[in-house]
Amino acid sequence: MVASQSQGGVSIRGLRFRYDRGFAIEVARLDVAAGEQVLLAGASGCGKSTLLHLISGIESPETGSILIGGTDMCALSGSARDTFRGRHVGMVFQTFQLLQGFTALENVMLSLMLGAPTLDQPRGRAEAALERLGMRDLHAPVERLSVGQQQRVAVARAVVTEPSVVLADEPTASLDPANAEAAVELIRSAARVAGAALVVTSHDPALRSVFTRTVDVEQFGVAADTAGGGAAR
């Protein structure tokens, strides 16, 4: 088992993002401590995924700062932000976004080679990440795997670079209640082992009882021409 060197969490200050449709997200303050696990909750369309994309640097705000492990994502250029994200931010997408035609092992190894090329033993690290999550057939093309197996590959890919933070966008949206509970526990356990902060978005009210801290994203939504914003610890 490879020891994690993940440090830091997420710190947002004075964030503002404007949509074209006359709606904005404003976050005066939001902190997620190193190793903390937080649920971003709210109805569909309230801005949960957008906030996750802002934290990851996929989207850029009009104003504000987003620190991950002490580095301000908003101050980085496009290429530098991409490099930083690959090394320090693990992402679990709702649709997994695995590379078809590649094996489970190759998908995870590519994440290492592209996101953290300075880490040694990429094959061994990828194998260990998959095996910790219960994957046995590492050489099967991902399109031949079950949905549950594909999710394990996606989670392994997210944590193998030893990120500071793992972001999971609606990971239970297409799952029945029993599988949804298992999927969330899989992600939480993997982030815990990696020593990473975890931020999960969901509109499923059942997940509120799973996380010790829930942030309602609807508090951050404002009319685009309105001043002010929400704050959360």
Side-chain angles (χ1 to χ4, degrees):
M1 176 176 172
V2 180
S4 171
Q5 301 297 321
S6 301
Q7 296 181 4
V10 179
S11 182
I12 298 174
R13 296 291 184 275
L15 184 72
R16 180 180 174 88
F17 176 86
R18 186 196 304 266
Y19 293 91
D20 293 336
R21 63 179 187 270
F23 178 74
I25 292 176
E26 290 189 355
V27 184
R29 174 175 178 169
L30 176 62
D31 294 315
V32 180
E36 187 178 13
Q37 301 193 347
V38 175
L39 175 66
L40 298 182
S44 297
C46 73
K48 301 185 302 297
S49 294
T50 298
L51 183 53
L52 213 67
H53 290 168
L54 287 165
I55 294 172
S56 71
I58 293 175
E59 296 275 8
S60 298
E62 288 184 358
T63 60
S65 63
I66 303 171
L67 274 65
I68 295 179
T71 297
D72 187 356
M73 293 284 283
C74 303
L76 299 177
S77 66
S79 59
R81 189 184 308 154
D82 291 342
T83 299
F84 183 85
R85 182 191 310 116
R87 178 64 183 86
H88 298 284
V89 181
M91 301 193 67
V92 182
F93 299 96
Q94 180 179 338
T95 55
F96 306 148
Q97 297 190 14
L98 300 175
L99 295 175
Q100 304 295 299
F102 289 81
T103 67
L105 181 60
E106 288 167 343
N107 266 269
V108 180
M109 285 182 64
L110 279 170
S111 178
L112 266 172
M113 291 187 288
L114 296 175
T118 60
L119 290 180
D120 61 359
Q121 302 177 342
R123 185 183 185 91
R125 288 174 183 269
E127 289 174 341
L130 286 162
E131 289 169 358
R132 279 197 299 270
L133 292 171
M135 285 295 297
R136 294 293 176 261
D137 191 357
L138 309 189
H139 302 287
V142 292
E143 61 268 24
R144 297 183 185 174
L145 300 176
S146 68
V147 172
Q149 289 173 321
Q150 288 182 13
Q151 185 164 55
R152 290 174 187 273
V153 176
V155 174
R157 183 183 61 184
V159 301
V160 72
T161 59
E162 301 177 4
S164 299
V165 59
V166 173
L167 308 175
D169 190 14
E170 296 279 4
T172 66
S174 59
L175 302 177
D176 59 65
N179 286 322
E181 183 178 352
V184 170
E185 182 51 38
L186 178 75
I187 295 169
R188 294 186 66 202
S189 176
R192 194 178 302 117
V193 170
L198 174 64
V199 182
V200 175
T201 70
S202 181
H203 62 270
D204 183 358
L207 291 190
R208 290 175 178 265
S209 62
V210 175
F211 289 81
T212 57
R213 181 180 170 209
T214 297
V215 175
D216 287 303
V217 176
E218 292 177 36
Q219 67 179 300
F220 302 133
V222 296
D225 57 354
T226 302
R233 180 181 65 80

